[in-house]
Amino acid sequence: MGIFRRGPRRDRSDTPRDAEFGYFSTDEGSRFRARVREAFAEQGLEVTVYADSVKDSGGRRFGLGNLAAVCHNDRRGPRVWPELIRRHVGMVLRTMDGPSALDTLPPEQIRAQLYPRVISEAGLDPQTFSYARGVAPGLYEILALDLPESVMMLTDEALEPLGRLPDLRAQALDNLRQLPVESHETVKGGDGMRFEVVVGDSFYTASRVLALDALVPQLTGRGLTPDGALVAMPFRHQLAFHVIRDSGMIPALNAMASFAASGFEDTPGAISPFVYWWRDGILTQLSDREDEGDGLRIVVGDDFQELLERLVGDSQEGG
């Protein structure tokens, strides 16, 4: 999985666009939904197809957003969509129709497969996930059970028989710290700009921001400073960071703002298009969309402004 994504060559961008998934043309959107309907039919289910979901005769609704993004981002193009869709539908139905892992796995195995996940509020039902911890504006941490074919986000009801929430969270964080790093790359540019990117197929790659204090020394050989780091979590398979040590943070901030916004678009498991200041485990949002248009702007509070002035002053004295 590369850190910079380029979509496959398909219908021209000036052809009419799908009303729900704008990265599809109208024709591609129709073909995608037809393949979804066929995949459910192969599993013995007739479904009603809507713009963003399908519903079976029992009233179960299946969202199409993540699957559409997976198809869009596969560089092999529409020729592989039928297989991707068939595999996804089969996995979803096996997960839904089979016995719950919470009923079949022993408690010690559940705890060993427990991980924290950072998700956007768009994917969160506050009534069933009231325990979710806010980690930044619009971002929340929940607990998930990692299974061979799926990830089960655990609701209030699911967590209740498993033990005390602080103990479960501590176990999940410990499991997260022990995950291997699948891939790590350094992005470099002019003005000494650089930042690190961790990528991987794991659904918890971006969530490693919750264990940044362990990840940074593992990858760089140096720990975090009291000033913390810049971080970005565009989607679940990617985490970018820059440890704040000197004024080199400034070009990194601008580059990471563009990087996060680009990585967020049209991805499965999208989390945030913004850059954050990580300090003592607390995330402060630094980038935002322009009030009008598609541009980006950097928004800093008093604390970060003081940090900027100090680093620039130190750089001038050192120069």
Side-chain angles (χ1 to χ4, degrees), residues 1 116 176 179-183 197-210 215 233 235-240 271:
M1 177 182 297
L176 183 68
L179 280 179
V181 174
E182 296 178 60
S183 180
V197 182
V198 178
V199 293
D201 292 329
S202 168
F203 274 49
Y204 315 104
T205 301
S207 300
R208 298 180 81 121
V209 70
L210 300 172
L215 180 66
M233 303 143 285
F235 62 112
R236 65 192 177 206
H237 301 297
Q238 192 175 82
L239 169 66
I271 298 177

Short mmCIF file of all heavy atoms in Angstrom, two decimals, residues 1 116 176 179-183 197-210 215 233 235-240 271:
data_model
loop_
_atom_site.label_atom_id
_atom_site.label_comp_id
_atom_site.label_asym_id
_atom_site.label_seq_id
_atom_site.Cartn_x
_atom_site.Cartn_y
_atom_site.Cartn_z
N MET A 1 0.85 -1.20 0.00
CA MET A 1 0.00 0.00 0.00
C MET A 1 0.88 1.24 0.00
O MET A 1 1.64 1.46 0.93
CB MET A 1 -0.91 -0.03 1.24
CG MET A 1 -1.79 1.21 1.36
SD MET A 1 -2.78 1.14 2.86
CE MET A 1 -3.78 -0.31 2.54
N PRO A 116 -7.96 -0.72 20.43
CA PRO A 116 -8.67 0.56 20.32
C PRO A 116 -8.68 1.02 18.87
O PRO A 116 -7.72 0.78 18.14
CB PRO A 116 -7.83 1.50 21.19
CG PRO A 116 -6.44 0.95 21.08
CD PRO A 116 -6.56 -0.53 20.86
N LEU A 176 -2.22 -3.00 21.09
CA LEU A 176 -1.88 -2.09 20.00
C LEU A 176 -0.38 -1.84 19.95
O LEU A 176 0.22 -1.83 18.87
CB LEU A 176 -2.64 -0.77 20.18
CG LEU A 176 -2.45 0.29 19.09
CD1 LEU A 176 -3.10 -0.16 17.78
CD2 LEU A 176 -3.04 1.63 19.54
N LEU A 179 1.64 -4.57 18.14
CA LEU A 179 1.45 -4.85 16.71
C LEU A 179 2.73 -4.54 15.95
O LEU A 179 3.38 -3.52 16.19
CB LEU A 179 0.32 -4.01 16.15
CG LEU A 179 -1.12 -4.46 16.39
CD1 LEU A 179 -2.08 -3.45 15.77
CD2 LEU A 179 -1.37 -5.84 15.81
N PRO A 180 3.11 -5.38 14.99
CA PRO A 180 4.28 -5.07 14.16
C PRO A 180 3.97 -3.92 13.21
O PRO A 180 2.83 -3.72 12.80
CB PRO A 180 4.51 -6.37 13.38
CG PRO A 180 3.17 -7.03 13.34
CD PRO A 180 2.50 -6.68 14.64
N VAL A 181 4.99 -3.14 12.88
CA VAL A 181 4.85 -2.08 11.89
C VAL A 181 4.98 -2.72 10.51
O VAL A 181 6.00 -3.33 10.19
CB VAL A 181 5.91 -0.99 12.08
CG1 VAL A 181 5.86 0.03 10.95
CG2 VAL A 181 5.72 -0.30 13.43
N GLU A 182 3.96 -2.58 9.68
CA GLU A 182 3.97 -3.23 8.37
C GLU A 182 4.88 -2.50 7.39
O GLU A 182 5.63 -3.12 6.64
CB GLU A 182 2.54 -3.30 7.82
CG GLU A 182 1.62 -4.19 8.67
CD GLU A 182 0.20 -4.20 8.13
OE1 GLU A 182 0.01 -4.61 6.96
OE2 GLU A 182 -0.71 -3.80 8.86
N SER A 183 4.78 -1.18 7.35
CA SER A 183 5.60 -0.41 6.42
C SER A 183 5.78 1.00 6.96
O SER A 183 4.85 1.58 7.51
CB SER A 183 4.94 -0.36 5.04
OG SER A 183 5.73 0.39 4.12
N VAL A 197 5.65 8.31 7.69
CA VAL A 197 4.35 7.72 7.39
C VAL A 197 4.38 6.23 7.66
O VAL A 197 5.27 5.52 7.16
CB VAL A 197 3.93 7.98 5.93
CG1 VAL A 197 2.54 7.40 5.67
CG2 VAL A 197 3.94 9.46 5.61
N VAL A 198 3.44 5.77 8.45
CA VAL A 198 3.25 4.34 8.71
C VAL A 198 2.03 3.90 7.91
O VAL A 198 0.96 4.54 7.99
CB VAL A 198 3.03 4.06 10.21
CG1 VAL A 198 2.80 2.58 10.45
CG2 VAL A 198 4.22 4.55 11.01
N VAL A 199 2.18 2.86 7.11
CA VAL A 199 1.06 2.35 6.32
C VAL A 199 0.96 0.84 6.54
O VAL A 199 1.94 0.17 6.87
CB VAL A 199 1.22 2.64 4.81
CG1 VAL A 199 1.14 4.13 4.54
CG2 VAL A 199 2.53 2.08 4.28
N GLY A 200 -0.25 0.31 6.37
CA GLY A 200 -0.42 -1.12 6.54
C GLY A 200 -1.85 -1.55 6.30
O GLY A 200 -2.78 -0.72 6.27
N ASP A 201 -2.05 -2.84 6.12
CA ASP A 201 -3.39 -3.38 5.91
C ASP A 201 -4.18 -3.47 7.21
O ASP A 201 -5.40 -3.64 7.19
CB ASP A 201 -3.30 -4.78 5.28
CG ASP A 201 -2.76 -4.73 3.86
OD1 ASP A 201 -3.01 -3.72 3.17
OD2 ASP A 201 -2.10 -5.69 3.44
N SER A 202 -3.51 -3.38 8.33
CA SER A 202 -4.20 -3.45 9.62
C SER A 202 -5.23 -2.34 9.74
O SER A 202 -4.98 -1.19 9.36
CB SER A 202 -3.19 -3.34 10.77
OG SER A 202 -3.85 -3.13 12.01
N PHE A 203 -6.38 -2.67 10.31
CA PHE A 203 -7.42 -1.68 10.56
C PHE A 203 -7.03 -0.73 11.69
O PHE A 203 -7.74 0.24 11.94
CB PHE A 203 -8.74 -2.37 10.91
CG PHE A 203 -9.55 -2.77 9.71
CD1 PHE A 203 -8.98 -3.47 8.65
CD2 PHE A 203 -10.90 -2.45 9.63
CE1 PHE A 203 -9.72 -3.85 7.55
CE2 PHE A 203 -11.66 -2.81 8.52
CZ PHE A 203 -11.07 -3.51 7.47
N TYR A 204 -5.91 -1.00 12.36
CA TYR A 204 -5.51 -0.20 13.53
C TYR A 204 -4.27 0.64 13.26
O TYR A 204 -3.70 1.20 14.18
CB TYR A 204 -5.27 -1.13 14.72
CG TYR A 204 -6.36 -2.16 14.86
CD1 TYR A 204 -6.15 -3.48 14.47
CD2 TYR A 204 -7.62 -1.80 15.32
CE1 TYR A 204 -7.17 -4.42 14.56
CE2 TYR A 204 -8.65 -2.73 15.40
CZ TYR A 204 -8.41 -4.03 15.02
OH TYR A 204 -9.43 -4.95 15.09
N THR A 205 -3.86 0.75 11.99
CA THR A 205 -2.65 1.50 11.68
C THR A 205 -2.78 2.95 12.12
O THR A 205 -1.91 3.48 12.82
CB THR A 205 -2.34 1.43 10.18
OG1 THR A 205 -2.18 0.05 9.79
CG2 THR A 205 -1.06 2.17 9.84
N ALA A 206 -3.84 3.63 11.71
CA ALA A 206 -4.02 5.03 12.11
C ALA A 206 -4.22 5.16 13.61
O ALA A 206 -3.80 6.16 14.21
CB ALA A 206 -5.21 5.63 11.37
N SER A 207 -4.82 4.16 14.22
CA SER A 207 -5.10 4.22 15.66
C SER A 207 -3.84 4.14 16.50
O SER A 207 -3.89 4.38 17.72
CB SER A 207 -6.05 3.08 16.05
OG SER A 207 -7.27 3.19 15.33
N ARG A 208 -2.69 3.86 15.87
CA ARG A 208 -1.44 3.84 16.61
C ARG A 208 -1.07 5.23 17.13
O ARG A 208 -0.15 5.37 17.93
CB ARG A 208 -0.32 3.28 15.73
CG ARG A 208 -0.56 1.85 15.29
CD ARG A 208 0.57 1.34 14.43
NE ARG A 208 1.68 0.92 15.26
CZ ARG A 208 2.19 -0.30 15.28
NH1 ARG A 208 1.69 -1.24 14.51
NH2 ARG A 208 3.21 -0.60 16.05
N VAL A 209 -1.81 6.25 16.71
CA VAL A 209 -1.62 7.57 17.30
C VAL A 209 -1.87 7.53 18.81
O VAL A 209 -1.33 8.34 19.56
CB VAL A 209 -2.54 8.61 16.61
CG1 VAL A 209 -4.01 8.37 16.97
CG2 VAL A 209 -2.14 10.03 16.97
N LEU A 210 -2.67 6.58 19.26
CA LEU A 210 -2.96 6.44 20.68
C LEU A 210 -1.77 5.90 21.45
O LEU A 210 -1.73 5.99 22.68
CB LEU A 210 -4.17 5.51 20.88
CG LEU A 210 -5.47 5.95 20.23
CD1 LEU A 210 -6.52 4.85 20.33
CD2 LEU A 210 -5.98 7.24 20.87
N LEU A 215 5.53 4.22 19.55
CA LEU A 215 5.80 4.05 18.13
C LEU A 215 7.00 4.87 17.67
O LEU A 215 7.85 4.38 16.91
CB LEU A 215 4.56 4.45 17.31
CG LEU A 215 4.67 4.33 15.80
CD1 LEU A 215 4.82 2.87 15.38
CD2 LEU A 215 3.45 4.97 15.13
N MET A 233 -4.12 11.43 10.43
CA MET A 233 -4.72 10.11 10.28
C MET A 233 -5.77 10.17 9.17
O MET A 233 -6.97 10.18 9.45
CB MET A 233 -5.38 9.66 11.59
CG MET A 233 -4.46 9.64 12.78
SD MET A 233 -5.32 10.18 14.29
CE MET A 233 -5.41 11.95 14.04
N PHE A 235 -6.87 8.05 6.88
CA PHE A 235 -7.77 6.90 6.86
C PHE A 235 -7.14 5.78 7.67
O PHE A 235 -6.00 5.88 8.12
CB PHE A 235 -8.14 6.47 5.44
CG PHE A 235 -6.99 6.00 4.59
CD1 PHE A 235 -6.88 4.68 4.20
CD2 PHE A 235 -6.00 6.89 4.14
CE1 PHE A 235 -5.82 4.24 3.40
CE2 PHE A 235 -4.96 6.46 3.33
CZ PHE A 235 -4.87 5.14 2.97
N ARG A 236 -7.90 4.72 7.88
CA ARG A 236 -7.53 3.73 8.90
C ARG A 236 -6.21 3.03 8.63
O ARG A 236 -5.61 2.47 9.56
CB ARG A 236 -8.65 2.69 9.02
CG ARG A 236 -8.86 1.84 7.78
CD ARG A 236 -10.15 1.05 7.87
NE ARG A 236 -10.39 0.28 6.66
CZ ARG A 236 -11.61 -0.08 6.24
NH1 ARG A 236 -12.67 0.26 6.92
NH2 ARG A 236 -11.75 -0.79 5.14
N HIS A 237 -5.72 3.05 7.40
CA HIS A 237 -4.50 2.32 7.07
C HIS A 237 -3.27 3.23 7.01
O HIS A 237 -2.23 2.82 6.47
CB HIS A 237 -4.67 1.60 5.72
CG HIS A 237 -5.80 0.62 5.70
ND1 HIS A 237 -5.82 -0.49 6.50
CD2 HIS A 237 -6.97 0.61 4.99
CE1 HIS A 237 -6.95 -1.17 6.27
NE2 HIS A 237 -7.65 -0.51 5.37
N GLN A 238 -3.35 4.43 7.56
CA GLN A 238 -2.24 5.37 7.40
C GLN A 238 -2.14 6.31 8.60
O GLN A 238 -3.14 6.85 9.07
CB GLN A 238 -2.47 6.17 6.12
CG GLN A 238 -1.28 6.98 5.64
CD GLN A 238 -1.59 7.64 4.31
OE1 GLN A 238 -2.23 8.68 4.25
NE2 GLN A 238 -1.17 7.01 3.22
N LEU A 239 -0.91 6.50 9.08
CA LEU A 239 -0.62 7.46 10.14
C LEU A 239 0.65 8.21 9.77
O LEU A 239 1.67 7.60 9.44
CB LEU A 239 -0.42 6.74 11.49
CG LEU A 239 0.15 7.59 12.63
CD1 LEU A 239 -0.84 8.67 13.05
CD2 LEU A 239 0.51 6.71 13.83
N ALA A 240 0.59 9.54 9.80
CA ALA A 240 1.76 10.37 9.53
C ALA A 240 2.13 11.13 10.79
O ALA A 240 1.24 11.53 11.56
CB ALA A 240 1.48 11.34 8.39
N ILE A 271 -10.88 8.83 8.13
CA ILE A 271 -10.93 9.31 9.51
C ILE A 271 -10.93 10.83 9.57
O ILE A 271 -11.89 11.44 10.06
CB ILE A 271 -9.75 8.74 10.34
CG1 ILE A 271 -9.84 7.22 10.40
CG2 ILE A 271 -9.77 9.33 11.76
CD1 ILE A 271 -8.68 6.56 11.15
#
